[in-house]
Amino acid sequence: MTDIPTTLADRFGRAISLLFDVGDNVAGAFLRPSTNEKFGDYQLNVAMSLAKSLNQNPRQIAEQITQAADVDDLCEKMEIAGPGFINVTLKADAISQQLDHIASDDRLGVRSSEHPDTVVVDYSSPNVAKQMHVGHLRSTVIGDCICRVLNFAGHKVNRQNHIGDWGTQFGMLIEYLDGAEQADAQQIGDLEAVYREAKKHFDAAPDFAERARLRVVALQANDLETREIWQRIVDQSKSHFKATYSRLGVLLADTDIRGESFYNDRLPQLVELFGSAGLLVESHGAQCIFPEGFYDRDDKPLPLIIRKSDGGFPYAATDLAALWFRIQELHADRIVYLVDTRQKQHFEMVFTALRSHPQWVKADVRLEHVMFGTVLGPDRKPFKTREGGIVKLDKLLEEAEHRAAEVIDKKNPQLSVEERTEIAHAVGIGALKYADLSSDRIKDYVFDWQRMLALNGNTAPYLQNAYVRIRSIFRKAASQDGHVGAVVQISHPAERALGIKILQLPAVIESVADSLEPHRLCTYLYDLASLFHQFYEKCPVLGCNDESLQASRLVLCDIVARTLKRGLNLLGIEVVERM
Ligand code: ARG
């Protein structure tokens, strides 16, 4: 069953294309849920832009559209307002029919895409031998949500964890560990410390630095012993990443890891590929591509170096090789990168370089750098520890759970220790994720424990609590499934407002899958929960004497609970039965 907003947009679109010489998908872009019930349920504001391009009176155009559109089965009335807005009020019958369908639909009315894409999502991508920081947290949390939403929308998602497991820094790490005979897993436990020590040696002792450089060469040449130590370092880091992912509850698995090292063998071919296309220019001994449109401050063309003068391959080369691989071998239709805004120019240059290659046959691959801003501390400066160090992710997760436990204790002191621990985990991690997901990702956001853990406002605990409340209604109900199959009745404006909101889920999922902006889903869930509370205040459910109306209201409760659960799940957040 097609959802009402989509059907409406289609029908208006058809009318418009019959009346005027324009494509028939224009209406979808102009049909919006009304922001005020005075203006009906939906508003179509296409007449104004049509009027401009056709040089006609917008109200007359609106008039023609309302007459031609075949929407009588869905619309109670249409009113033309202001310069030419068409305010659409739906028929209560149409709303309740759609709700009846949603009540028995696992997917809550959201249809799977008819044109599924293969989407490669490059996210998390921390660096071996270094701590994951809050920037990686953002990438991981937002990326994970995007994977879930795309998957739910019907696309084929291929997660790629492009970890930094290659590069000259491994020379000094390996040399240091080998010299110190410390390469066993236990002693390299704190790789960060090893890294710092190795760096000290590298800077202070020229002979060590020289040996470290030779190690890089040995690593590149697949020297057995060197490779072995490298592998141990990588494995050690991977197990750290894995523990963090599991605590965070993200989808990333070992099999999603395809680090920079994977592309090492492909880099000479890459140089060849661009060289034979005449796209390489030698500059100071390095092989460079000069992507069109990039200049430095002095207006000199900016190079994308893909082979350094010492023969090494920089970050950009690996990214170009990865891009090629993802298109040719993973058959991506769309590739998205979850990396902070500081790498904006890097990705623009890599994408432009790729597009300049004549073999760029699948020109319709959608390449997107999904940027996000910085996490700020209370002082509005990049989030740091009190001592000014980088915030370690494990510590942060621990604190989230700890603070959530305090909130839960206050709210419900009767819970058992096990319950409390489980709930604190769901609420703490949920709050952390939601704070990240609910703000417009491009912007920086201020990290604020109190706000993210508040039981009121646009927070995870608020939504989790709304779910808990509905579940408790069902626990109190005489029968768990007495309402199943009941017909939804729209008897009160609060029911109507809630129903209309429920119908909007498919459009929200579609817009998140397209824009890759999770905050749109957060806002939707928050609005839904708020409307639910208004409904619950005004429309008695268990206290309702009319049996069929009570059943209808329970159906609404059930749909809202399932929508909250599904929506939170798409954000990577768990629900709990009580809190
Ligand atoms: N490892 C990089 C960092 O920590 C992020 C990699 C992002 N992905 C990519 N394909 N470049 O900054």
Side-chain angles (χ1 to χ4, degrees):
M1 187 170 181
T2 311
D3 58 280
I4 294 182
T6 304
T7 310
L8 270 185
D10 285 352
R11 304 253 193 101
F12 279 119
R14 223 172 298 150
I16 292 167
S17 70
L18 283 177
L19 287 168
F20 315 103
D21 192 17
V22 289
D24 60 359
N25 55 7
V26 285
F30 292 96
L31 187 72
R32 295 268 173 279
S34 299
T35 45
N36 186 324
E37 53 196 86
K38 273 199 304 221
F39 306 138
D41 302 317
Y42 276 87
Q43 195 167 62
L44 186 69
N45 52 14
V46 68
M48 281 77 83
S49 71
L50 278 176
K52 225 174 260 157
S53 56
L54 299 170
N55 202 14
Q56 287 180 28
N57 178 323
R59 282 189 72 101
Q60 265 162 21
I61 289 185
E63 193 71 50
Q64 282 173 278
I65 296 173
T66 51
Q67 268 159 25
D70 170 24
V71 291
D72 288 352
D73 54 333
L74 299 175
C75 299
E76 176 84 44
K77 61 175 183 197
M78 285 183 274
E79 275 170 354
I80 297 166
F85 293 107
I86 303 175
N87 294 341
V88 178
T89 303
L90 298 180
K91 279 194 167 139
D93 270 1
I95 302 173
S96 46
Q97 261 174 36
Q98 184 82 26
L99 292 171
D100 289 343
H101 162 69
I102 292 171
S104 62
D105 179 16
D106 234 14
R107 295 180 52 89
L108 296 153
V110 179
R111 288 181 312 156
S112 228
S113 169
E114 281 160 19
H115 313 282
D117 283 332
T118 295
V119 191
V120 167
V121 184
D122 178 322
Y123 74 110
S124 195
S125 310
N127 301 314
V128 163
K130 294 199 191 139
Q131 281 276 347
M132 265 201 243
H133 53 69
V134 285
H136 295 120
L137 176 70
R138 291 215 78 182
S139 172
T140 308
V141 168
I142 302 172
D144 209 58
C145 167
I146 286 174
C147 289
R148 289 166 188 261
V149 172
L150 287 170
N151 185 53
F152 182 54
H155 301 291
K156 196 166 160 265
V157 175
N158 191 328
R159 297 185 296 267
Q160 293 288 304
N161 194 352
H162 190 86
I163 62 171
D165 61 356
W166 203 250
T168 46
Q169 73 276 24
F170 284 92
M172 65 183 194
L173 268 173
I174 293 168
E175 187 56 30
Y176 179 79
L177 280 171
D178 193 36
E181 287 174 9
Q182 278 184 347
D184 64 297
Q186 215 175 8
Q187 276 160 311
I188 61 172
D190 188 0
L191 273 176
E192 273 257 291
V194 174
Y195 190 92
R196 277 194 301 273
E197 280 307 306
K199 181 89 172 75
K200 260 192 227 157
H201 275 64
F202 188 87
D203 293 338
D207 59 321
F208 177 86
E210 184 49 32
R211 275 184 283 129
R213 271 190 275 275
L214 290 175
R215 278 293 188 179
V216 178
V217 179
L219 185 64
Q220 302 264 11
N222 280 325
D223 169 64
L224 211 63
E225 189 217 351
T226 306
R227 265 316 256 246
E228 242 174 61
I229 305 175
W230 171 80
Q231 190 64 56
R232 256 178 279 170
I233 297 173
V234 173
D235 288 348
Q236 174 73 10
S237 270
K238 276 197 201 170
S239 75
H240 277 308
F241 300 153
K242 197 173 172 169
T244 306
Y245 294 150
S246 123
R247 188 163 191 184
L248 261 181
V250 293
L251 302 167
L252 284 166
D254 276 352
T255 46
D256 299 323
I257 295 182
R258 189 174 267 124
E260 293 179 15
S261 63
F262 173 84
Y263 300 100
N264 185 49
D265 294 345
R266 296 165 185 260
L267 296 174
Q269 285 154 261
L270 181 89
V271 175
E272 173 57 34
L273 198 68
F274 279 82
S276 60
L279 292 166
L280 289 187
V281 178
E282 195 176 310
S283 170
H284 304 288
Q287 296 294 327
C288 310
I289 302 171
F290 285 91
E292 215 182 302
F294 295 89
Y295 301 95
D296 66 10
R297 278 197 208 108
D298 306 324
D299 268 351
K300 282 218 297 276
L302 269 178
L304 189 72
I305 302 174
I306 65 166
R307 180 161 217 168
K308 295 189 283 186
S309 55
D310 66 4
F313 298 96
Y315 185 57
T318 307
D319 258 327
L320 210 47
L323 200 46
W324 200 269
F325 173 79
R326 289 164 182 183
I327 295 169
Q328 302 290 339
E329 291 177 56
L330 301 182
H331 309 291
D333 301 303
R334 185 178 185 188
I335 308 176
V336 301
Y337 292 82
L338 277 293
V339 189
D340 68 61
T341 45
R342 287 172 305 179
Q343 296 193 31
K344 183 170 188 270
Q345 177 165 294
H346 164 75
F347 284 109
E348 281 174 355
M349 288 180 79
V350 169
F351 295 168
T352 308
L354 179 82
R355 289 187 176 120
S356 69
H357 195 280
Q359 254 194 62
W360 168 254
V361 273
K362 278 181 76 177
D364 55 345
V365 179
R366 197 167 156 188
L367 306 176
E368 288 161 277
H369 175 202
V370 180
M371 288 178 272
F372 47 83
T374 312
V375 185
L376 305 175
D379 55 356
R380 305 205 124 257
K381 295 213 177 93
F383 191 42
K384 294 262 164 67
T385 60
R386 234 173 261 146
E387 295 75 36
I390 91 164
V391 178
K392 300 200 168 162
L393 220 51
D394 294 337
K395 285 263 170 324
L396 200 68
L397 303 188
E398 207 174 286
E399 185 165 355
E401 289 174 357
H402 178 74
R403 286 179 182 257
E406 287 175 356
V407 173
I408 301 303
D409 264 350
K410 245 191 240 146
K411 183 173 183 300
N412 189 350
Q414 263 109 48
L415 293 166
S416 72
V417 179
E418 294 87 66
E419 269 183 309
R420 196 188 77 144
T421 313
E422 219 182 288
I423 297 169
H425 171 72
V427 171
I429 302 294
L432 197 69
K433 285 184 171 179
Y434 195 88
D436 208 303
L437 294 166
S438 57
S439 62
D440 184 350
R441 63 172 159 71
I442 296 288
K443 297 188 186 141
D444 299 345
Y445 81 93
V446 176
F447 194 90
D448 180 342
W449 286 117
Q450 219 129 44
R451 202 174 55 205
M452 69 175 82
L453 281 162
L455 287 162
N456 275 314
N458 188 10
T459 67
Y462 172 73
L463 297 177
Q464 286 167 319
N465 199 31
Y467 179 80
V468 164
R469 282 190 178 179
I470 304 178
R471 297 300 300 154
S472 91
I473 299 173
F474 282 97
R475 276 198 295 276
K476 286 183 209 133
S479 142
Q480 286 304 294
D481 49 13
H483 63 282
V484 174
V487 172
V488 176
Q489 303 173 30
I490 303 290
S491 68
H492 188 283
E495 276 169 336
R496 184 189 175 88
L498 183 61
I500 296 276
K501 197 60 174 183
I502 291 170
L503 303 190
Q504 284 160 17
L505 181 66
V508 172
I509 297 295
E510 198 180 304
S511 96
V512 178
D514 182 53
S515 67
L516 309 180
E517 290 179 346
H519 76 271
R520 297 179 187 221
L521 177 56
C522 297
T523 307
Y524 173 77
L525 295 174
Y526 176 59
D527 290 346
L528 180 76
S530 310
L531 286 172
F532 174 78
H533 287 135
Q534 286 169 29
F535 151 82
Y536 194 58
E537 225 168 75
K538 299 196 176 108
C539 305
V541 178
L542 295 180
C544 175
N545 299 324
D546 177 332
E547 210 174 298
S548 66
L549 188 55
Q550 180 184 83
S552 157
R553 288 180 177 168
L554 280 169
V555 171
L556 284 179
C557 290
D558 178 58
I559 295 177
V560 174
R562 286 193 298 122
T563 307
L564 287 173
K565 183 175 179 175
R566 171 72 81 170
L568 285 169
N569 173 275
L570 292 176
L571 299 172
I573 298 172
E574 291 169 38
V575 290
V576 289
E577 289 299 310
R578 41 186 114 225
M579 65 188 264

